[in-house]
Amino acid sequence: MNGVLRQDHPLVLATVLKALNDPTRLRIIQELINDEIGAERHCTSFSGLADVARATRSHHFKVLREAGLVSLVDRGNLLLARLRRDEIEKAFPGLLNILARG
């Protein structure tokens, strides 16, 4: 199966803020914000995640997906994360700019 792995979740402010309250997940989102629009990244390509246990990485990406911040995309043997930039901007204008500034 190639394409979006799981259906996108709705963006709910409380869920988004809870997901972003973790420093690792916030760093993941900040890196995706700074990537080219539409970019997809493998979970081990994020700062500080290469040496993290697979279960921990999976948990972080599950929380981000369930918060509606990322889509997970299946590319054969790779599971990639993509920021739901347009949806986030529509639901919470300016949020990505605030997060990008750190």
Side-chain angles (χ1 to χ4, degrees):
M1 171 182 146
N2 280 347
V4 175
L5 184 65
R6 296 178 186 94
Q7 188 174 16
D8 293 330
H9 291 273
L11 289 156
V12 176
L13 183 59
T15 308
V16 167
L17 294 177
K18 184 176 179 183
L20 294 173
N21 191 42
D22 180 89
T24 299
R25 292 191 292 267
L26 177 59
R27 186 172 55 245
I28 290 168
I29 294 301
Q30 287 172 326
E31 287 186 36
L32 285 170
I33 290 168
N34 292 323
D35 284 349
E36 184 177 320
I37 293 175
E40 299 171 349
R41 301 239 332 243
H42 189 268
C43 63
T44 59
S45 71
F46 293 89
S47 300
L49 287 185
D51 297 329
V52 172
R54 183 176 182 182
T56 302
R57 283 194 314 262
S58 294
H59 170 74
H60 286 305
F61 284 98
K62 177 184 176 192
V63 170
L64 291 172
R65 180 183 55 82
E66 290 178 350
L69 294 167
V70 299
S71 292
L72 298 180
V73 181
D74 179 7
R75 295 281 186 243
N77 293 351
L78 296 174
L79 187 60
L80 306 172
R82 177 177 55 212
L83 184 65
R84 294 180 61 204
R85 188 180 305 267
D86 291 340
E87 295 92 338
I88 296 167
E89 276 299 321
K90 183 177 178 183
F92 311 114
L95 177 62
L96 295 179
N97 288 335
I98 292 167
L99 295 174
R101 290 185 284 216

